[in-house]
Amino acid sequence: VCTALCLHVAGDRVTIAAGGHPLPLCLTPQGVQPIGDHGPLLGALHDVRWTESTVRLVPGSTLLLYTDGVTDAVGEGGARYGTERLVSTLGRLRDGSAAAIVDGLLGALSAFQVGSNADDVAVLALRSSTAVRGALTPHRSRGDAVVSTGGRSD
């Protein structure tokens, strides 16, 4: 049994199917919203289908993918980082570059967390380019697409 997140990026359109994985978040000037629908874990059930959701990313928006190690991080008194804290953190970071968003999130997570990582932490941010109307154009040398992993990988 495992989780999976499938993305198909075509210009400014992203099609998403999730199986037991946290839903991607879309960061826009209006706020932070989850994208897609939750689906069952892979291998948990027979004869299941996963729902595809397609969204258009407008110029200046950022698509953020993350593992549950982000929301499951443990702080003082056993509190979890959680989705609400994640959305609040991303709300403060949403106008930055992909690199600034990932760095800011990992910094906030590190400041919150007590002890070592209990789960893997991975974050991927894709920022929609304003140069190509509405297209996602990862460009690693300028940090428009940033992948960061930390902790263990099982």
Side-chain angles (χ1 to χ4, degrees):
V1 178
C2 66
T3 66
L5 180 67
C6 297
L7 294 178
H8 179 258
V9 179
D12 63 351
R13 305 247 182 242
V14 178
T15 301
I16 299 156
H21 195 280
L23 294 177
L25 298 172
C26 186
L27 289 61
T28 68
Q30 292 74 37
V32 179
Q33 295 295 321
I35 297 177
D37 296 308
H38 289 283
L41 290 166
L42 275 67
L45 305 167
H46 295 286
D47 299 323
V48 294
R49 295 192 180 270
W50 290 266
T51 304
E52 290 183 352
S53 300
T54 300
V55 296
R56 178 178 178 269
L57 294 179
V58 297
S61 62
T62 300
L63 182 66
L64 186 98
L65 291 74
Y66 62 97
T67 60
D68 63 356
V70 172
T71 51
D72 289 346
V74 178
E76 290 290 332
R80 300 279 179 179
Y81 197 75
T83 304
E84 186 176 319
R85 192 181 321 267
L86 172 61
V87 168
S88 175
T89 300
L90 293 173
R92 292 189 301 275
L93 300 170
R94 70 179 182 236
D95 294 328
S97 67
I101 292 168
V102 170
D103 289 346
L105 175 57
L106 293 178
L109 191 63
S110 178
F112 171 83
Q113 190 166 309
V114 175
S116 64
N117 289 341
D119 197 356
D120 63 299
V121 171
V123 177
L124 168 67
L126 300 171
R127 182 126 177 117
S128 181
S129 173
T130 54
V132 177
R133 186 164 167 70
L136 281 176
T137 53
H139 190 285
R140 288 190 176 93
S141 66
R142 289 197 319 223
D144 296 326
V146 178
V147 179
S148 179
T149 60
R152 351 179 277 247
S153 62
D154 329 272

